[in-house]
Amino acid sequence: MSTFEENLVQYEPMISACIRKLSIYKNHELYRQAGRIALWRAWVKFDAERGDFAPYAYRCIYGGILDELKKEKQIEETIDPMEEEKLTFLIEQTLSQSIHHEALAFALEKLTTNERELILWIFVEGISLQQAATRAGITIPGIKKRRERLLTKLRENMAAKN
């Protein structure tokens, strides 16, 4: 077998094909690197007596990228709830402190009706992002993006008050 660098050049299109097949639309370089690492592992472990390298490499690349996707999803699921817990804690703290209460009230007044409604759903009623997305008539990534922009806007408005 040739050197790994030659194999990498040869199998780079296969890595791109796996990324497309898994419908990955962001962080391409992260997943491309995961595919390269999986290709290297396949190259190291390959036994020519057991068959051709190409199908083995494909399965290893596909599996490596899939593992990376799972890991990123798990990270996303653990970080997002932490953000909600932080905001809940901050809102509770601001309600107990009158100065911060005024800043929060000021920040909430600056929000649109739809933004206040989203805050009410997520942080007061405590509904899931899926339920909020259904109520708003948009996708879960859309509701996450709105929540991120809303939290940024709240922080900026509270900072402007202080």
mmCIF file with all atom_site columns, all heavy atoms in Angstrom, residues 6-26:
data_model
loop_
_atom_site.group_PDB
_atom_site.id
_atom_site.type_symbol
_atom_site.label_atom_id
_atom_site.label_alt_id
_atom_site.label_comp_id
_atom_site.label_asym_id
_atom_site.label_entity_id
_atom_site.label_seq_id
_atom_site.pdbx_PDB_ins_code
_atom_site.Cartn_x
_atom_site.Cartn_y
_atom_site.Cartn_z
_atom_site.occupancy
_atom_site.B_iso_or_equiv
_atom_site.pdbx_formal_charge
_atom_site.auth_seq_id
_atom_site.auth_comp_id
_atom_site.auth_asym_id
_atom_site.auth_atom_id
_atom_site.pdbx_PDB_model_num
ATOM 1   N N   . GLU A 1 6  ? -0.730  9.905  0.151  1.00 0.00 ? 6  GLU A N   1
ATOM 2   C CA  . GLU A 1 6  ? -1.273  9.578  -1.168 1.00 0.00 ? 6  GLU A CA  1
ATOM 3   C C   . GLU A 1 6  ? -2.712  9.089  -1.042 1.00 0.00 ? 6  GLU A C   1
ATOM 4   O O   . GLU A 1 6  ? -3.570  9.431  -1.853 1.00 0.00 ? 6  GLU A O   1
ATOM 5   C CB  . GLU A 1 6  ? -0.404  8.515  -1.849 1.00 0.00 ? 6  GLU A CB  1
ATOM 6   C CG  . GLU A 1 6  ? 0.974   9.011  -2.217 1.00 0.00 ? 6  GLU A CG  1
ATOM 7   C CD  . GLU A 1 6  ? 1.912   7.891  -2.652 1.00 0.00 ? 6  GLU A CD  1
ATOM 8   O OE1 . GLU A 1 6  ? 1.543   6.701  -2.514 1.00 0.00 ? 6  GLU A OE1 1
ATOM 9   O OE2 . GLU A 1 6  ? 3.021   8.216  -3.107 1.00 0.00 ? 6  GLU A OE2 1
ATOM 10  N N   . ASN A 1 7  ? -2.962  8.275  -0.037 1.00 0.00 ? 7  ASN A N   1
ATOM 11  C CA  . ASN A 1 7  ? -4.330  7.796  0.200  1.00 0.00 ? 7  ASN A CA  1
ATOM 12  C C   . ASN A 1 7  ? -5.265  8.947  0.554  1.00 0.00 ? 7  ASN A C   1
ATOM 13  O O   . ASN A 1 7  ? -6.417  8.961  0.130  1.00 0.00 ? 7  ASN A O   1
ATOM 14  C CB  . ASN A 1 7  ? -4.357  6.764  1.321  1.00 0.00 ? 7  ASN A CB  1
ATOM 15  C CG  . ASN A 1 7  ? -4.129  5.364  0.813  1.00 0.00 ? 7  ASN A CG  1
ATOM 16  O OD1 . ASN A 1 7  ? -4.367  5.082  -0.349 1.00 0.00 ? 7  ASN A OD1 1
ATOM 17  N ND2 . ASN A 1 7  ? -3.668  4.490  1.681  1.00 0.00 ? 7  ASN A ND2 1
ATOM 18  N N   . LEU A 1 8  ? -4.774  9.870  1.351  1.00 0.00 ? 8  LEU A N   1
ATOM 19  C CA  . LEU A 1 8  ? -5.608  11.010 1.738  1.00 0.00 ? 8  LEU A CA  1
ATOM 20  C C   . LEU A 1 8  ? -6.036  11.798 0.515  1.00 0.00 ? 8  LEU A C   1
ATOM 21  O O   . LEU A 1 8  ? -7.217  12.146 0.383  1.00 0.00 ? 8  LEU A O   1
ATOM 22  C CB  . LEU A 1 8  ? -4.855  11.911 2.732  1.00 0.00 ? 8  LEU A CB  1
ATOM 23  C CG  . LEU A 1 8  ? -5.599  13.154 3.208  1.00 0.00 ? 8  LEU A CG  1
ATOM 24  C CD1 . LEU A 1 8  ? -6.894  12.753 3.913  1.00 0.00 ? 8  LEU A CD1 1
ATOM 25  C CD2 . LEU A 1 8  ? -4.728  13.970 4.137  1.00 0.00 ? 8  LEU A CD2 1
ATOM 26  N N   . VAL A 1 9  ? -5.110  12.052 -0.384 1.00 0.00 ? 9  VAL A N   1
ATOM 27  C CA  . VAL A 1 9  ? -5.447  12.784 -1.610 1.00 0.00 ? 9  VAL A CA  1
ATOM 28  C C   . VAL A 1 9  ? -6.470  11.991 -2.421 1.00 0.00 ? 9  VAL A C   1
ATOM 29  O O   . VAL A 1 9  ? -7.437  12.551 -2.945 1.00 0.00 ? 9  VAL A O   1
ATOM 30  C CB  . VAL A 1 9  ? -4.169  13.059 -2.452 1.00 0.00 ? 9  VAL A CB  1
ATOM 31  C CG1 . VAL A 1 9  ? -4.528  13.591 -3.825 1.00 0.00 ? 9  VAL A CG1 1
ATOM 32  C CG2 . VAL A 1 9  ? -3.252  14.022 -1.718 1.00 0.00 ? 9  VAL A CG2 1
ATOM 33  N N   . GLN A 1 10 ? -6.274  10.681 -2.505 1.00 0.00 ? 10 GLN A N   1
ATOM 34  C CA  . GLN A 1 10 ? -7.171  9.828  -3.280 1.00 0.00 ? 10 GLN A CA  1
ATOM 35  C C   . GLN A 1 10 ? -8.573  9.755  -2.665 1.00 0.00 ? 10 GLN A C   1
ATOM 36  O O   . GLN A 1 10 ? -9.566  9.746  -3.381 1.00 0.00 ? 10 GLN A O   1
ATOM 37  C CB  . GLN A 1 10 ? -6.577  8.420  -3.378 1.00 0.00 ? 10 GLN A CB  1
ATOM 38  C CG  . GLN A 1 10 ? -7.428  7.462  -4.172 1.00 0.00 ? 10 GLN A CG  1
ATOM 39  C CD  . GLN A 1 10 ? -6.830  6.057  -4.215 1.00 0.00 ? 10 GLN A CD  1
ATOM 40  O OE1 . GLN A 1 10 ? -5.734  5.832  -3.717 1.00 0.00 ? 10 GLN A OE1 1
ATOM 41  N NE2 . GLN A 1 10 ? -7.574  5.132  -4.783 1.00 0.00 ? 10 GLN A NE2 1
ATOM 42  N N   . TYR A 1 11 ? -8.663  9.715  -1.336 1.00 0.00 ? 11 TYR A N   1
ATOM 43  C CA  . TYR A 1 11 ? -9.951  9.498  -0.668 1.00 0.00 ? 11 TYR A CA  1
ATOM 44  C C   . TYR A 1 11 ? -10.611 10.779 -0.152 1.00 0.00 ? 11 TYR A C   1
ATOM 45  O O   . TYR A 1 11 ? -11.688 10.715 0.446  1.00 0.00 ? 11 TYR A O   1
ATOM 46  C CB  . TYR A 1 11 ? -9.794  8.488  0.473  1.00 0.00 ? 11 TYR A CB  1
ATOM 47  C CG  . TYR A 1 11 ? -9.593  7.082  -0.043 1.00 0.00 ? 11 TYR A CG  1
ATOM 48  C CD1 . TYR A 1 11 ? -8.325  6.537  -0.154 1.00 0.00 ? 11 TYR A CD1 1
ATOM 49  C CD2 . TYR A 1 11 ? -10.674 6.321  -0.451 1.00 0.00 ? 11 TYR A CD2 1
ATOM 50  C CE1 . TYR A 1 11 ? -8.130  5.264  -0.642 1.00 0.00 ? 11 TYR A CE1 1
ATOM 51  C CE2 . TYR A 1 11 ? -10.504 5.039  -0.943 1.00 0.00 ? 11 TYR A CE2 1
ATOM 52  C CZ  . TYR A 1 11 ? -9.231  4.518  -1.048 1.00 0.00 ? 11 TYR A CZ  1
ATOM 53  O OH  . TYR A 1 11 ? -9.057  3.257  -1.536 1.00 0.00 ? 11 TYR A OH  1
ATOM 54  N N   . GLU A 1 12 ? -10.019 11.923 -0.393 1.00 0.00 ? 12 GLU A N   1
ATOM 55  C CA  . GLU A 1 12 ? -10.631 13.195 0.021  1.00 0.00 ? 12 GLU A CA  1
ATOM 56  C C   . GLU A 1 12 ? -12.023 13.383 -0.588 1.00 0.00 ? 12 GLU A C   1
ATOM 57  O O   . GLU A 1 12 ? -12.950 13.827 0.104  1.00 0.00 ? 12 GLU A O   1
ATOM 58  C CB  . GLU A 1 12 ? -9.703  14.365 -0.344 1.00 0.00 ? 12 GLU A CB  1
ATOM 59  C CG  . GLU A 1 12 ? -10.034 15.654 0.348  1.00 0.00 ? 12 GLU A CG  1
ATOM 60  C CD  . GLU A 1 12 ? -9.640  15.692 1.816  1.00 0.00 ? 12 GLU A CD  1
ATOM 61  O OE1 . GLU A 1 12 ? -8.596  15.151 2.187  1.00 0.00 ? 12 GLU A OE1 1
ATOM 62  O OE2 . GLU A 1 12 ? -10.411 16.279 2.599  1.00 0.00 ? 12 GLU A OE2 1
ATOM 63  N N   . PRO A 1 13 ? -12.232 13.037 -1.882 1.00 0.00 ? 13 PRO A N   1
ATOM 64  C CA  . PRO A 1 13 ? -13.598 13.140 -2.422 1.00 0.00 ? 13 PRO A CA  1
ATOM 65  C C   . PRO A 1 13 ? -14.592 12.221 -1.698 1.00 0.00 ? 13 PRO A C   1
ATOM 66  O O   . PRO A 1 13 ? -15.777 12.556 -1.583 1.00 0.00 ? 13 PRO A O   1
ATOM 67  C CB  . PRO A 1 13 ? -13.436 12.711 -3.887 1.00 0.00 ? 13 PRO A CB  1
ATOM 68  C CG  . PRO A 1 13 ? -12.013 12.982 -4.212 1.00 0.00 ? 13 PRO A CG  1
ATOM 69  C CD  . PRO A 1 13 ? -11.255 12.722 -2.930 1.00 0.00 ? 13 PRO A CD  1
ATOM 70  N N   . MET A 1 14 ? -14.126 11.091 -1.209 1.00 0.00 ? 14 MET A N   1
ATOM 71  C CA  . MET A 1 14 ? -15.003 10.177 -0.472 1.00 0.00 ? 14 MET A CA  1
ATOM 72  C C   . MET A 1 14 ? -15.442 10.819 0.842  1.00 0.00 ? 14 MET A C   1
ATOM 73  O O   . MET A 1 14 ? -16.595 10.680 1.260  1.00 0.00 ? 14 MET A O   1
ATOM 74  C CB  . MET A 1 14 ? -14.285 8.848  -0.194 1.00 0.00 ? 14 MET A CB  1
ATOM 75  C CG  . MET A 1 14 ? -15.175 7.793  0.418  1.00 0.00 ? 14 MET A CG  1
ATOM 76  S SD  . MET A 1 14 ? -14.313 6.256  0.776  1.00 0.00 ? 14 MET A SD  1
ATOM 77  C CE  . MET A 1 14 ? -14.203 5.542  -0.853 1.00 0.00 ? 14 MET A CE  1
ATOM 78  N N   . ILE A 1 15 ? -14.532 11.541 1.479  1.00 0.00 ? 15 ILE A N   1
ATOM 79  C CA  . ILE A 1 15 ? -14.877 12.255 2.715  1.00 0.00 ? 15 ILE A CA  1
ATOM 80  C C   . ILE A 1 15 ? -15.952 13.297 2.423  1.00 0.00 ? 15 ILE A C   1
ATOM 81  O O   . ILE A 1 15 ? -16.954 13.397 3.138  1.00 0.00 ? 15 ILE A O   1
ATOM 82  C CB  . ILE A 1 15 ? -13.621 12.899 3.340  1.00 0.00 ? 15 ILE A CB  1
ATOM 83  C CG1 . ILE A 1 15 ? -12.648 11.804 3.813  1.00 0.00 ? 15 ILE A CG1 1
ATOM 84  C CG2 . ILE A 1 15 ? -14.006 13.830 4.492  1.00 0.00 ? 15 ILE A CG2 1
ATOM 85  C CD1 . ILE A 1 15 ? -11.288 12.322 4.242  1.00 0.00 ? 15 ILE A CD1 1
ATOM 86  N N   . SER A 1 16 ? -15.771 14.046 1.317  1.00 0.00 ? 16 SER A N   1
ATOM 87  C CA  . SER A 1 16 ? -16.775 15.052 0.928  1.00 0.00 ? 16 SER A CA  1
ATOM 88  C C   . SER A 1 16 ? -18.121 14.402 0.627  1.00 0.00 ? 16 SER A C   1
ATOM 89  O O   . SER A 1 16 ? -19.171 14.934 0.987  1.00 0.00 ? 16 SER A O   1
ATOM 90  C CB  . SER A 1 16 ? -16.286 15.828 -0.293 1.00 0.00 ? 16 SER A CB  1
ATOM 91  O OG  . SER A 1 16 ? -15.114 16.536 0.011  1.00 0.00 ? 16 SER A OG  1
ATOM 92  N N   . ALA A 1 17 ? -18.097 13.234 -0.022 1.00 0.00 ? 17 ALA A N   1
ATOM 93  C CA  . ALA A 1 17 ? -19.340 12.533 -0.336 1.00 0.00 ? 17 ALA A CA  1
ATOM 94  C C   . ALA A 1 17 ? -20.063 12.107 0.937  1.00 0.00 ? 17 ALA A C   1
ATOM 95  O O   . ALA A 1 17 ? -21.296 12.198 1.020  1.00 0.00 ? 17 ALA A O   1
ATOM 96  C CB  . ALA A 1 17 ? -19.044 11.317 -1.216 1.00 0.00 ? 17 ALA A CB  1
ATOM 97  N N   . CYS A 1 18 ? -19.312 11.648 1.928  1.00 0.00 ? 18 CYS A N   1
ATOM 98  C CA  . CYS A 1 18 ? -19.930 11.259 3.210  1.00 0.00 ? 18 CYS A CA  1
ATOM 99  C C   . CYS A 1 18 ? -20.557 12.465 3.903  1.00 0.00 ? 18 CYS A C   1
ATOM 100 O O   . CYS A 1 18 ? -21.647 12.365 4.473  1.00 0.00 ? 18 CYS A O   1
ATOM 101 C CB  . CYS A 1 18 ? -18.897 10.606 4.118  1.00 0.00 ? 18 CYS A CB  1
ATOM 102 S SG  . CYS A 1 18 ? -18.412 8.945  3.597  1.00 0.00 ? 18 CYS A SG  1
ATOM 103 N N   . ILE A 1 19 ? -19.886 13.595 3.839  1.00 0.00 ? 19 ILE A N   1
ATOM 104 C CA  . ILE A 1 19 ? -20.422 14.825 4.448  1.00 0.00 ? 19 ILE A CA  1
ATOM 105 C C   . ILE A 1 19 ? -21.728 15.205 3.762  1.00 0.00 ? 19 ILE A C   1
ATOM 106 O O   . ILE A 1 19 ? -22.711 15.553 4.429  1.00 0.00 ? 19 ILE A O   1
ATOM 107 C CB  . ILE A 1 19 ? -19.384 15.959 4.381  1.00 0.00 ? 19 ILE A CB  1
ATOM 108 C CG1 . ILE A 1 19 ? -18.230 15.658 5.345  1.00 0.00 ? 19 ILE A CG1 1
ATOM 109 C CG2 . ILE A 1 19 ? -20.017 17.312 4.679  1.00 0.00 ? 19 ILE A CG2 1
ATOM 110 C CD1 . ILE A 1 19 ? -17.058 16.608 5.243  1.00 0.00 ? 19 ILE A CD1 1
ATOM 111 N N   . ARG A 1 20 ? -21.755 15.129 2.424  1.00 0.00 ? 20 ARG A N   1
ATOM 112 C CA  . ARG A 1 20 ? -22.994 15.438 1.692  1.00 0.00 ? 20 ARG A CA  1
ATOM 113 C C   . ARG A 1 20 ? -24.093 14.428 2.018  1.00 0.00 ? 20 ARG A C   1
ATOM 114 O O   . ARG A 1 20 ? -25.253 14.803 2.208  1.00 0.00 ? 20 ARG A O   1
ATOM 115 C CB  . ARG A 1 20 ? -22.738 15.455 0.187  1.00 0.00 ? 20 ARG A CB  1
ATOM 116 C CG  . ARG A 1 20 ? -22.087 16.717 -0.314 1.00 0.00 ? 20 ARG A CG  1
ATOM 117 C CD  . ARG A 1 20 ? -22.103 16.802 -1.832 1.00 0.00 ? 20 ARG A CD  1
ATOM 118 N NE  . ARG A 1 20 ? -21.494 15.633 -2.467 1.00 0.00 ? 20 ARG A NE  1
ATOM 119 C CZ  . ARG A 1 20 ? -20.195 15.480 -2.691 1.00 0.00 ? 20 ARG A CZ  1
ATOM 120 N NH1 . ARG A 1 20 ? -19.359 16.412 -2.328 1.00 0.00 ? 20 ARG A NH1 1
ATOM 121 N NH2 . ARG A 1 20 ? -19.751 14.387 -3.286 1.00 0.00 ? 20 ARG A NH2 1
ATOM 122 N N   . LYS A 1 21 ? -23.745 13.141 2.074  1.00 0.00 ? 21 LYS A N   1
ATOM 123 C CA  . LYS A 1 21 ? -24.739 12.096 2.333  1.00 0.00 ? 21 LYS A CA  1
ATOM 124 C C   . LYS A 1 21 ? -25.373 12.272 3.711  1.00 0.00 ? 21 LYS A C   1
ATOM 125 O O   . LYS A 1 21 ? -26.556 11.994 3.902  1.00 0.00 ? 21 LYS A O   1
ATOM 126 C CB  . LYS A 1 21 ? -24.101 10.717 2.229  1.00 0.00 ? 21 LYS A CB  1
ATOM 127 C CG  . LYS A 1 21 ? -25.119 9.602  2.342  1.00 0.00 ? 21 LYS A CG  1
ATOM 128 C CD  . LYS A 1 21 ? -24.532 8.269  2.009  1.00 0.00 ? 21 LYS A CD  1
ATOM 129 C CE  . LYS A 1 21 ? -25.630 7.224  2.084  1.00 0.00 ? 21 LYS A CE  1
ATOM 130 N NZ  . LYS A 1 21 ? -25.163 5.913  1.712  1.00 0.00 ? 21 LYS A NZ  1
ATOM 131 N N   . LEU A 1 22 ? -24.591 12.751 4.675  1.00 0.00 ? 22 LEU A N   1
ATOM 132 C CA  . LEU A 1 22 ? -25.121 12.970 6.021  1.00 0.00 ? 22 LEU A CA  1
ATOM 133 C C   . LEU A 1 22 ? -25.805 14.330 6.158  1.00 0.00 ? 22 LEU A C   1
ATOM 134 O O   . LEU A 1 22 ? -26.228 14.708 7.247  1.00 0.00 ? 22 LEU A O   1
ATOM 135 C CB  . LEU A 1 22 ? -23.990 12.835 7.047  1.00 0.00 ? 22 LEU A CB  1
ATOM 136 C CG  . LEU A 1 22 ? -23.486 11.406 7.244  1.00 0.00 ? 22 LEU A CG  1
ATOM 137 C CD1 . LEU A 1 22 ? -22.171 11.389 8.016  1.00 0.00 ? 22 LEU A CD1 1
ATOM 138 C CD2 . LEU A 1 22 ? -24.530 10.570 7.950  1.00 0.00 ? 22 LEU A CD2 1
ATOM 139 N N   . SER A 1 23 ? -25.905 15.078 5.062  1.00 0.00 ? 23 SER A N   1
ATOM 140 C CA  . SER A 1 23 ? -26.575 16.395 5.024  1.00 0.00 ? 23 SER A CA  1
ATOM 141 C C   . SER A 1 23 ? -25.987 17.370 6.033  1.00 0.00 ? 23 SER A C   1
ATOM 142 O O   . SER A 1 23 ? -26.714 18.096 6.715  1.00 0.00 ? 23 SER A O   1
ATOM 143 C CB  . SER A 1 23 ? -28.079 16.238 5.266  1.00 0.00 ? 23 SER A CB  1
ATOM 144 O OG  . SER A 1 23 ? -28.642 15.385 4.296  1.00 0.00 ? 23 SER A OG  1
ATOM 145 N N   . ILE A 1 24 ? -24.687 17.391 6.130  1.00 0.00 ? 24 ILE A N   1
ATOM 146 C CA  . ILE A 1 24 ? -24.019 18.329 7.037  1.00 0.00 ? 24 ILE A CA  1
ATOM 147 C C   . ILE A 1 24 ? -23.923 19.667 6.321  1.00 0.00 ? 24 ILE A C   1
ATOM 148 O O   . ILE A 1 24 ? -23.392 19.750 5.215  1.00 0.00 ? 24 ILE A O   1
ATOM 149 C CB  . ILE A 1 24 ? -22.630 17.798 7.442  1.00 0.00 ? 24 ILE A CB  1
ATOM 150 C CG1 . ILE A 1 24 ? -22.795 16.499 8.227  1.00 0.00 ? 24 ILE A CG1 1
ATOM 151 C CG2 . ILE A 1 24 ? -21.862 18.845 8.238  1.00 0.00 ? 24 ILE A CG2 1
ATOM 152 C CD1 . ILE A 1 24 ? -21.504 15.775 8.531  1.00 0.00 ? 24 ILE A CD1 1
ATOM 153 N N   . TYR A 1 25 ? -24.435 20.723 6.953  1.00 0.00 ? 25 TYR A N   1
ATOM 154 C CA  . TYR A 1 25 ? -24.486 22.022 6.301  1.00 0.00 ? 25 TYR A CA  1
ATOM 155 C C   . TYR A 1 25 ? -23.647 23.088 7.012  1.00 0.00 ? 25 TYR A C   1
ATOM 156 O O   . TYR A 1 25 ? -23.607 24.236 6.570  1.00 0.00 ? 25 TYR A O   1
ATOM 157 C CB  . TYR A 1 25 ? -25.933 22.501 6.183  1.00 0.00 ? 25 TYR A CB  1
ATOM 158 C CG  . TYR A 1 25 ? -26.660 22.586 7.502  1.00 0.00 ? 25 TYR A CG  1
ATOM 159 C CD1 . TYR A 1 25 ? -26.672 23.760 8.233  1.00 0.00 ? 25 TYR A CD1 1
ATOM 160 C CD2 . TYR A 1 25 ? -27.330 21.482 8.013  1.00 0.00 ? 25 TYR A CD2 1
ATOM 161 C CE1 . TYR A 1 25 ? -27.327 23.832 9.449  1.00 0.00 ? 25 TYR A CE1 1
ATOM 162 C CE2 . TYR A 1 25 ? -27.986 21.544 9.220  1.00 0.00 ? 25 TYR A CE2 1
ATOM 163 C CZ  . TYR A 1 25 ? -27.980 22.727 9.928  1.00 0.00 ? 25 TYR A CZ  1
ATOM 164 O OH  . TYR A 1 25 ? -28.621 22.792 11.128 1.00 0.00 ? 25 TYR A OH  1
ATOM 165 N N   . LYS A 1 26 ? -22.987 22.721 8.091  1.00 0.00 ? 26 LYS A N   1
ATOM 166 C CA  . LYS A 1 26 ? -22.135 23.689 8.774  1.00 0.00 ? 26 LYS A CA  1
ATOM 167 C C   . LYS A 1 26 ? -20.943 22.959 9.377  1.00 0.00 ? 26 LYS A C   1
ATOM 168 O O   . LYS A 1 26 ? -20.939 21.734 9.466  1.00 0.00 ? 26 LYS A O   1
ATOM 169 C CB  . LYS A 1 26 ? -22.903 24.460 9.854  1.00 0.00 ? 26 LYS A CB  1
ATOM 170 C CG  . LYS A 1 26 ? -23.460 23.587 10.963 1.00 0.00 ? 26 LYS A CG  1
ATOM 171 C CD  . LYS A 1 26 ? -24.243 24.410 11.969 1.00 0.00 ? 26 LYS A CD  1
ATOM 172 C CE  . LYS A 1 26 ? -24.782 23.512 13.074 1.00 0.00 ? 26 LYS A CE  1
ATOM 173 N NZ  . LYS A 1 26 ? -25.479 24.253 14.089 1.00 0.00 ? 26 LYS A NZ  1
#
